[in-house]
Amino acid sequence: MTYLVDEDRPRVPAGQRFRALMDAPAIMRIPGAHNGLSAIQARDAGFEALYLSGGAVSASMGLPDLGILTLEDVTFHLRQLSRASALPVLVDGDTGFGEALNVMNMVRTFEDAGAGAVQIEDQLLPKKCGHLNDKRLAGAHDMAAKVSAARRARRDLVIIARTDAAASEGIEGAVSRAKLYLEAGADAIFPEALTSVEMFRAVAEALPGVPLLANMTEFGRTPALTADEFQALGYAMVIWPVSSLRVAAKAQAALYETIRRDGTPAAVLSAMQTRAELYDTIGLAEYEALDRSIIKTVLPGEVA
């Protein structure tokens, strides 16, 4: 599918499609994608939504995940995922790129770029990965104001409020913040960096009926659970935020070391997509056929 003509584009707005998946009985499985190619591959594997991680975007730009990204940086990557896959994207909005008016601008910008949902977190800058130490939290009411601003600006976008409070305020503090964020207009809650099954269960029991998102990042503090296990605990969504980037980065490092050592990439050819496989993934033949059909319409008889 090229998505360059109307009949190839989804008719239902991304926010509505994301909400329908979030509200479905089965847990929503949302893999991270860090560029347009990985978005296509995730879609072709059968996924129905994607996650755009601020950490993955930062790393792909050679930067640490410390809130250095601009709104334009994230939107550039968001457009890639949305255009390439046409799937609804949950995009990491970090701390909202400022205060209330900045959050409203972020929401409209992300919606225009094809986002289906946005997550906003309650850290102070420089924000950090949720699984690192020394995070500083914003005041709960300051975060609630951002959630309220996002709700006021959105058309269809699903608003997910992330709280990092469990590490410093315990489950009671995280739940208290979550309830305030829900009152302010959040559609779902993302309790970050929970470190045990019991903590995940406690949050779900304290917030019955609330769509909850679990973060299954590798090498973090959360125990390795499957999507089905998270669903059994009461979670509606699970993300694997940086997995695709980590796999790609490891493979690239091996490639560069091989070329430096051998003077040729021959030893890793078996790990590469062939030219034909790559062209098939990105739909080269479809684009060429579309191009020929247009030229033939304008110049009949001159295109084979």
Side-chain angles (χ1 to χ4, degrees):
M1 294 176 285
T2 65
Y3 305 116
L4 295 180
V5 290
D6 282 345
E7 55 263 31
D8 291 330
R9 295 186 182 125
R11 295 289 192 271
V12 179
Q16 293 182 30
R17 287 184 282 136
F18 190 95
R19 186 180 299 276
L21 292 167
M22 182 178 72
D23 293 341
I27 191 168
M28 191 176 180
R29 305 177 186 215
I30 315 173
H34 58 282
N35 58 23
L37 177 59
S38 60
I40 292 172
Q41 292 175 311
R43 181 200 66 200
D44 291 350
F47 290 99
E48 297 180 282
L50 301 173
Y51 181 71
L52 180 60
S53 159
V57 171
S58 294
S60 72
M61 295 174 63
L63 295 169
D65 183 19
L66 294 173
I68 299 171
L69 294 178
T70 67
L71 177 61
E72 289 73 23
D73 291 331
V74 180
T75 303
F76 172 78
H77 287 78
L78 169 60
R79 287 197 186 98
Q80 286 189 55
L81 270 59
S82 177
R83 175 201 52 77
S85 72
L87 296 180
V89 179
L90 164 55
V91 56
D92 184 353
D94 281 345
T95 60
F97 302 96
E99 300 306 320
L101 294 181
N102 307 88
V103 170
M104 295 179 80
N105 179 57
M106 175 194 73
V107 165
R108 286 297 175 93
T109 299
F110 285 170
E111 279 194 323
D112 290 344
V118 64
Q119 100 185 24
I120 311 171
E121 64 196 61
D122 57 4
Q123 288 193 51
L124 293 173
L125 293 175
K127 57 87 59 188
K128 294 186 176 184
C129 166
H131 295 253
L132 296 179
N133 294 322
D134 301 323
K135 295 178 292 183
R136 296 186 303 135
L137 297 184
H141 289 279
D142 291 336
M143 171 64 175
K146 293 184 180 183
V147 172
S148 179
R151 179 66 175 250
R152 187 166 180 178
R154 68 102 174 264
R155 303 179 186 97
D156 299 294
L157 200 68
V158 173
I159 300 166
I160 301 177
R162 167 178 148 176
T163 179
D164 287 68
S168 58
E169 299 178 2
I171 291 298
E172 288 187 2
V175 168
S176 176
R177 282 174 173 264
K179 289 179 177 178
L180 183 62
Y181 304 161
L182 290 165
E183 291 174 4
D187 299 297
I189 295 295
F190 173 2
E192 172 61 316
L194 304 186
T195 59
S196 69
V197 170
E198 291 70 27
M199 292 178 76
F200 278 99
R201 183 179 292 112
V203 170
E205 290 175 351
L207 300 171
V210 176
L212 299 174
L213 183 148
N215 179 11
M216 193 58 267
T217 187
E218 302 85 10
F219 316 112
R221 296 180 175 181
T222 296
L225 300 177
T226 67
D228 288 342
E229 288 172 326
F230 279 121
Q231 180 169 356
L233 289 168
Y235 285 71
M237 298 166 279
V238 56
I239 57 173
W240 295 268
V242 195
S243 306
S244 68
L245 180 77
R246 288 189 174 119
V247 168
K250 185 83 168 183
Q252 286 171 178
L255 166 68
Y256 295 136
E257 173 60 25
T258 298
I259 296 174
R260 186 200 61 78
R261 183 189 65 236
D262 301 342
T264 172
V268 294
L269 284 179
S270 63
M272 294 185 187
Q273 274 192 326
T274 65
R275 182 186 298 269
E277 288 169 337
L278 177 59
Y279 287 169
D280 183 60
T281 299
I282 60 178
L284 174 64
E286 294 179 63
Y287 281 89
E288 289 184 326
L290 177 62
D291 185 49
R292 285 194 300 271
S293 71
I294 294 169
I295 295 174
K296 190 172 182 178
T297 300
V298 178
L299 301 171
E302 295 193 19
V303 179

PDB file of all heavy atoms in Angstrom, residues 231-247:
ATOM      1  N   GLN A 231      -2.167  -8.950  30.832  1.00  0.00           N
ATOM      2  CA  GLN A 231      -3.622  -8.920  30.712  1.00  0.00           C
ATOM      3  C   GLN A 231      -4.271  -9.564  31.931  1.00  0.00           C
ATOM      4  O   GLN A 231      -5.272  -9.057  32.457  1.00  0.00           O
ATOM      5  CB  GLN A 231      -4.080  -9.628  29.437  1.00  0.00           C
ATOM      6  CG  GLN A 231      -5.597  -9.612  29.269  1.00  0.00           C
ATOM      7  CD  GLN A 231      -6.047 -10.064  27.895  1.00  0.00           C
ATOM      8  OE1 GLN A 231      -5.246 -10.334  27.026  1.00  0.00           O
ATOM      9  NE2 GLN A 231      -7.351 -10.139  27.707  1.00  0.00           N
ATOM     10  N   ALA A 232      -3.717 -10.675  32.388  1.00  0.00           N
ATOM     11  CA  ALA A 232      -4.266 -11.351  33.562  1.00  0.00           C
ATOM     12  C   ALA A 232      -4.179 -10.468  34.807  1.00  0.00           C
ATOM     13  O   ALA A 232      -4.987 -10.608  35.733  1.00  0.00           O
ATOM     14  CB  ALA A 232      -3.533 -12.667  33.794  1.00  0.00           C
ATOM     15  N   LEU A 233      -3.218  -9.552  34.813  1.00  0.00           N
ATOM     16  CA  LEU A 233      -3.067  -8.625  35.941  1.00  0.00           C
ATOM     17  C   LEU A 233      -3.999  -7.426  35.835  1.00  0.00           C
ATOM     18  O   LEU A 233      -4.048  -6.599  36.749  1.00  0.00           O
ATOM     19  CB  LEU A 233      -1.614  -8.148  36.032  1.00  0.00           C
ATOM     20  CG  LEU A 233      -0.595  -9.184  36.509  1.00  0.00           C
ATOM     21  CD1 LEU A 233       0.828  -8.684  36.277  1.00  0.00           C
ATOM     22  CD2 LEU A 233      -0.813  -9.505  37.989  1.00  0.00           C
ATOM     23  N   GLY A 234      -4.699  -7.290  34.698  1.00  0.00           N
ATOM     24  CA  GLY A 234      -5.657  -6.202  34.546  1.00  0.00           C
ATOM     25  C   GLY A 234      -5.203  -5.064  33.662  1.00  0.00           C
ATOM     26  O   GLY A 234      -5.798  -3.972  33.710  1.00  0.00           O
ATOM     27  N   TYR A 235      -4.200  -5.300  32.815  1.00  0.00           N
ATOM     28  CA  TYR A 235      -3.664  -4.229  31.965  1.00  0.00           C
ATOM     29  C   TYR A 235      -4.252  -4.313  30.562  1.00  0.00           C
ATOM     30  O   TYR A 235      -4.454  -5.404  30.013  1.00  0.00           O
ATOM     31  CB  TYR A 235      -2.126  -4.277  31.957  1.00  0.00           C
ATOM     32  CG  TYR A 235      -1.601  -3.744  33.269  1.00  0.00           C
ATOM     33  CD1 TYR A 235      -1.756  -4.483  34.440  1.00  0.00           C
ATOM     34  CD2 TYR A 235      -1.057  -2.476  33.363  1.00  0.00           C
ATOM     35  CE1 TYR A 235      -1.354  -3.981  35.663  1.00  0.00           C
ATOM     36  CE2 TYR A 235      -0.643  -1.970  34.586  1.00  0.00           C
ATOM     37  CZ  TYR A 235      -0.808  -2.720  35.737  1.00  0.00           C
ATOM     38  OH  TYR A 235      -0.423  -2.201  36.952  1.00  0.00           O
ATOM     39  N   ALA A 236      -4.513  -3.138  29.980  1.00  0.00           N
ATOM     40  CA  ALA A 236      -5.152  -3.058  28.663  1.00  0.00           C
ATOM     41  C   ALA A 236      -4.144  -2.924  27.541  1.00  0.00           C
ATOM     42  O   ALA A 236      -4.469  -3.197  26.380  1.00  0.00           O
ATOM     43  CB  ALA A 236      -6.110  -1.862  28.618  1.00  0.00           C
ATOM     44  N   MET A 237      -2.913  -2.472  27.865  1.00  0.00           N
ATOM     45  CA  MET A 237      -1.892  -2.198  26.850  1.00  0.00           C
ATOM     46  C   MET A 237      -0.521  -2.585  27.384  1.00  0.00           C
ATOM     47  O   MET A 237      -0.261  -2.457  28.585  1.00  0.00           O
ATOM     48  CB  MET A 237      -1.878  -0.704  26.480  1.00  0.00           C
ATOM     49  CG  MET A 237      -3.150  -0.166  25.867  1.00  0.00           C
ATOM     50  SD  MET A 237      -3.171   1.657  25.847  1.00  0.00           S
ATOM     51  CE  MET A 237      -3.693   2.005  27.541  1.00  0.00           C
ATOM     52  N   VAL A 238       0.345  -3.021  26.468  1.00  0.00           N
ATOM     53  CA  VAL A 238       1.750  -3.241  26.820  1.00  0.00           C
ATOM     54  C   VAL A 238       2.610  -2.745  25.674  1.00  0.00           C
ATOM     55  O   VAL A 238       2.285  -2.958  24.497  1.00  0.00           O
ATOM     56  CB  VAL A 238       2.043  -4.722  27.140  1.00  0.00           C
ATOM     57  CG1 VAL A 238       1.659  -5.633  25.994  1.00  0.00           C
ATOM     58  CG2 VAL A 238       3.527  -4.919  27.512  1.00  0.00           C
ATOM     59  N   ILE A 239       3.689  -2.044  26.020  1.00  0.00           N
ATOM     60  CA  ILE A 239       4.626  -1.540  25.015  1.00  0.00           C
ATOM     61  C   ILE A 239       5.981  -2.227  25.178  1.00  0.00           C
ATOM     62  O   ILE A 239       6.368  -2.611  26.280  1.00  0.00           O
ATOM     63  CB  ILE A 239       4.808  -0.006  25.100  1.00  0.00           C
ATOM     64  CG1 ILE A 239       5.285   0.411  26.502  1.00  0.00           C
ATOM     65  CG2 ILE A 239       3.529   0.713  24.697  1.00  0.00           C
ATOM     66  CD1 ILE A 239       5.657   1.876  26.619  1.00  0.00           C
ATOM     67  N   TRP A 240       6.672  -2.374  24.042  1.00  0.00           N
ATOM     68  CA  TRP A 240       8.082  -2.782  24.013  1.00  0.00           C
ATOM     69  C   TRP A 240       8.807  -1.615  23.339  1.00  0.00           C
ATOM     70  O   TRP A 240       9.020  -1.610  22.125  1.00  0.00           O
ATOM     71  CB  TRP A 240       8.253  -4.079  23.222  1.00  0.00           C
ATOM     72  CG  TRP A 240       7.570  -5.260  23.846  1.00  0.00           C
ATOM     73  CD1 TRP A 240       8.108  -6.157  24.728  1.00  0.00           C
ATOM     74  CD2 TRP A 240       6.215  -5.689  23.628  1.00  0.00           C
ATOM     75  NE1 TRP A 240       7.178  -7.116  25.074  1.00  0.00           N
ATOM     76  CE2 TRP A 240       5.998  -6.851  24.415  1.00  0.00           C
ATOM     77  CE3 TRP A 240       5.153  -5.207  22.852  1.00  0.00           C
ATOM     78  CZ2 TRP A 240       4.791  -7.524  24.437  1.00  0.00           C
ATOM     79  CZ3 TRP A 240       3.937  -5.881  22.878  1.00  0.00           C
ATOM     80  CH2 TRP A 240       3.767  -7.019  23.665  1.00  0.00           C
ATOM     81  N   PRO A 241       9.200  -0.598  24.101  1.00  0.00           N
ATOM     82  CA  PRO A 241       9.518   0.711  23.516  1.00  0.00           C
ATOM     83  C   PRO A 241      10.778   0.799  22.674  1.00  0.00           C
ATOM     84  O   PRO A 241      10.801   1.503  21.660  1.00  0.00           O
ATOM     85  CB  PRO A 241       9.613   1.627  24.736  1.00  0.00           C
ATOM     86  CG  PRO A 241       9.900   0.716  25.874  1.00  0.00           C
ATOM     87  CD  PRO A 241       9.208  -0.566  25.569  1.00  0.00           C
ATOM     88  N   VAL A 242      11.853   0.127  23.078  1.00  0.00           N
ATOM     89  CA  VAL A 242      13.150   0.343  22.437  1.00  0.00           C
ATOM     90  C   VAL A 242      13.700  -0.944  21.815  1.00  0.00           C
ATOM     91  O   VAL A 242      14.820  -0.991  21.342  1.00  0.00           O
ATOM     92  CB  VAL A 242      14.168   0.954  23.437  1.00  0.00           C
ATOM     93  CG1 VAL A 242      15.390   1.515  22.720  1.00  0.00           C
ATOM     94  CG2 VAL A 242      13.534   2.071  24.268  1.00  0.00           C
ATOM     95  N   SER A 243      12.911  -2.001  21.792  1.00  0.00           N
ATOM     96  CA  SER A 243      13.400  -3.315  21.332  1.00  0.00           C
ATOM     97  C   SER A 243      13.927  -3.250  19.909  1.00  0.00           C
ATOM     98  O   SER A 243      15.011  -3.783  19.602  1.00  0.00           O
ATOM     99  CB  SER A 243      12.285  -4.356  21.430  1.00  0.00           C
ATOM    100  OG  SER A 243      11.738  -4.405  22.726  1.00  0.00           O
ATOM    101  N   SER A 244      13.185  -2.622  19.010  1.00  0.00           N
ATOM    102  CA  SER A 244      13.608  -2.590  17.600  1.00  0.00           C
ATOM    103  C   SER A 244      14.925  -1.840  17.445  1.00  0.00           C
ATOM    104  O   SER A 244      15.812  -2.252  16.695  1.00  0.00           O
ATOM    105  CB  SER A 244      12.521  -1.955  16.717  1.00  0.00           C
ATOM    106  OG  SER A 244      12.365  -0.573  16.993  1.00  0.00           O
ATOM    107  N   LEU A 245      15.071  -0.739  18.158  1.00  0.00           N
ATOM    108  CA  LEU A 245      16.310   0.033  18.071  1.00  0.00           C
ATOM    109  C   LEU A 245      17.489  -0.744  18.634  1.00  0.00           C
ATOM    110  O   LEU A 245      18.585  -0.734  18.068  1.00  0.00           O
ATOM    111  CB  LEU A 245      16.157   1.362  18.812  1.00  0.00           C
ATOM    112  CG  LEU A 245      17.411   2.235  18.780  1.00  0.00           C
ATOM    113  CD1 LEU A 245      17.546   2.913  17.426  1.00  0.00           C
ATOM    114  CD2 LEU A 245      17.406   3.253  19.895  1.00  0.00           C
ATOM    115  N   ARG A 246      17.266  -1.452  19.745  1.00  0.00           N
ATOM    116  CA  ARG A 246      18.353  -2.213  20.351  1.00  0.00           C
ATOM    117  C   ARG A 246      18.849  -3.319  19.417  1.00  0.00           C
ATOM    118  O   ARG A 246      20.054  -3.556  19.291  1.00  0.00           O
ATOM    119  CB  ARG A 246      17.889  -2.815  21.679  1.00  0.00           C
ATOM    120  CG  ARG A 246      17.729  -1.795  22.797  1.00  0.00           C
ATOM    121  CD  ARG A 246      17.482  -2.460  24.133  1.00  0.00           C
ATOM    122  NE  ARG A 246      17.479  -1.477  25.205  1.00  0.00           N
ATOM    123  CZ  ARG A 246      16.438  -1.228  25.997  1.00  0.00           C
ATOM    124  NH1 ARG A 246      15.314  -1.903  25.838  1.00  0.00           N
ATOM    125  NH2 ARG A 246      16.516  -0.327  26.947  1.00  0.00           N
ATOM    126  N   VAL A 247      17.900  -4.005  18.769  1.00  0.00           N
ATOM    127  CA  VAL A 247      18.285  -5.058  17.828  1.00  0.00           C
ATOM    128  C   VAL A 247      19.055  -4.460  16.650  1.00  0.00           C
ATOM    129  O   VAL A 247      20.098  -4.979  16.232  1.00  0.00           O
ATOM    130  CB  VAL A 247      17.044  -5.816  17.342  1.00  0.00           C
ATOM    131  CG1 VAL A 247      17.378  -6.719  16.157  1.00  0.00           C
ATOM    132  CG2 VAL A 247      16.443  -6.649  18.469  1.00  0.00           C
TER     133      VAL A 247
END
